[in-house]
Amino acid sequence: MKQKIVAIGGGDFTKHQTLNIDKEIVKFSEKQQPKMLFIPTASSDNATYTKNILKYYQDLGCTVDVLFLIKQKISFQEIQSKILSADIIYVSGGNTLKMMTLWRRLEIDRLLNQARKQGTVLCGLSAGSICWFNFGNSDSRKFKNPAADYIKVTGLGFVNAFNCPHYDSEADRKVSLKKMMQKNSGIAIALEDCAAIQILGDTYRIINSNNIARAYKIYWKDNIFYEEVIEQVNTFKSLNELLKK
């Protein structure tokens, strides 16, 4: 099966800011009434966030479930059953580092890789965008210290690139990513709020939920910094080409 990933830069779903992207996620599952599993680890299993997004995706035609990993004790067999029976897995925003640390301890990383290989749609925004990539530009330290710098967090490595969400809405993200990428030989995909990269196998396209949200290809080459708008077209293009300098 071809992997299916939708990484969203940000936006408030409760205000329907990401609605067009969310509709595409449901359509991407190719199911009449897809099973959507929400994993709110990064938000510390926030109850309000969970209630709101489950209702939201229910209204989009999904049957919904949640995987609490912090507030509830749950067996590995139950975790496995929830993850591998889902058609869509949506990961919340929040503390990426905290989430990745817990996921690795509980072997969620391995289960998500199994889900990826069976064609489950893997998606989310902010932390739920970063996690599918090799690395991400993360505000995880800011939860305890708002003055802390952004940090590089290691993701699941399903996409061979760096990821940066909120590229337009948090002004210091741009400065941080530019500096971070000087020490990284690869490509970063920077996503503005309401923009997403949709990946199907080894192809991609950029989608958005308004007319202005953009995605960028960020990299350094021969000591020159490049920030290139990624063209938004309806057809899927080569992901390997995108990730070349």
Side-chain angles (χ1 to χ4, degrees), residues 119-152:
T120 305
V121 179
L122 306 175
C123 60
L125 58 75
S126 197
S129 175
I130 288 172
C131 63
W132 315 116
F133 288 72
N134 285 350
F135 306 105
N137 177 285
S138 169
D139 61 356
S140 295
R141 298 282 187 221
K142 292 179 179 287
F143 287 86
K144 284 189 176 176
N145 175 14
D149 285 339
Y150 290 96
I151 59 169
K152 173 182 169 181

Side-chain angles (χ1 to χ4, degrees), residues 169-185:
S169 59
E170 297 174 1
D172 44 354
R173 285 268 186 187
K174 291 192 176 189
V175 177
S176 169
L177 184 63
K178 183 177 180 179
K179 186 177 172 185
M180 217 174 262
M181 290 308 292
Q182 273 188 301
K183 298 171 186 174
N184 190 285
S185 60

Side-chain angles (χ1 to χ4, degrees), residues 4-233:
K4 294 179 177 182
I5 295 171
V6 182
I8 312 165
D12 187 346
F13 70 88
T14 64
K15 296 176 181 174
H16 288 184
Q17 289 179 356
T18 60
L19 182 59
N20 289 350
I21 297 170
D22 297 309
K23 285 180 177 177
E24 184 58 44
I25 287 168
V26 175
K27 185 179 167 187
F28 206 25
S29 74
E30 300 179 280
K31 298 285 173 70
Q32 278 294 99
Q33 192 177 30
K35 294 184 201 170
M36 179 273 212
L37 177 67
F38 181 54
I39 307 183
T41 316
S43 71
S44 297
D45 286 353
N46 185 282
T48 303
Y49 192 161
T50 300
K51 180 185 170 186
N52 287 341
I53 202 157
L54 292 185
K55 170 72 166 62
Y56 179 75
Y57 264 84
Q58 212 166 19
D59 290 345
L60 289 175
C62 297
T63 59
V64 295
D65 193 10
V66 60
L67 176 59
F68 288 124
L69 296 171
I70 297 169
K71 289 187 173 178
Q72 291 180 3
K73 289 293 178 191
I74 182 169
S75 72
F76 182 78
Q77 286 71 27
E78 288 176 279
I79 294 170
Q80 186 176 43
S81 175
K82 280 179 181 270
I83 288 177
L84 298 184
S85 66
D87 301 309
I88 298 167
I89 294 173
Y90 190 114
V91 175
S92 77
N95 188 326
T96 315
L97 180 61
K98 179 180 176 181
M99 174 180 77
M100 293 306 307
T101 302
L102 182 60
W103 279 6
R104 289 193 173 98
R105 185 158 60 81
L106 298 178
E107 296 186 71
I108 306 298
D109 52 348
R110 182 168 67 79
L111 293 175
L112 289 172
N113 194 34
Q114 280 183 252
R116 175 180 73 99
K117 288 176 179 176
Q118 67 184 30
T120 305
V121 179
L122 306 175
C123 60
L125 58 75
S126 197
S129 175
I130 288 172
C131 63
W132 315 116
F133 288 72
N134 285 350
F135 306 105
N137 177 285
S138 169
D139 61 356
S140 295
R141 298 282 187 221
K142 292 179 179 287
F143 287 86
K144 284 189 176 176
N145 175 14
D149 285 339
Y150 290 96
I151 59 169
K152 173 182 169 181
V153 172
T154 303
L156 295 166
F158 299 164
V159 186
N160 185 27
F162 216 95
N163 176 270
C164 179
H166 307 299
Y167 196 58
D168 59 331
S169 59
E170 297 174 1
D172 44 354
R173 285 268 186 187
K174 291 192 176 189
V175 177
S176 169
L177 184 63
K178 183 177 180 179
K179 186 177 172 185
M180 217 174 262
M181 290 308 292
Q182 273 188 301
K183 298 171 186 174
N184 190 285
S185 60
I187 300 291
I189 305 300
L191 299 164
E192 294 183 345
D193 288 3
C194 302
I197 183 166
Q198 181 179 16
I199 294 168
L200 175 61
D202 56 4
T203 65
Y204 80 95
R205 66 176 180 168
I206 302 301
I207 56 176
N208 63 24
S209 51
N210 61 35
N211 293 324
I212 57 171
R214 291 177 167 182
Y216 298 84
K217 176 177 177 174
I218 308 288
Y219 60 99
W220 286 83
K221 187 175 179 180
D222 299 328
N223 292 320
I224 299 170
F225 177 69
Y226 293 85
E227 180 190 66
E228 301 167 354
V229 175
I230 305 172
E231 186 184 11
Q232 187 178 336
V233 292

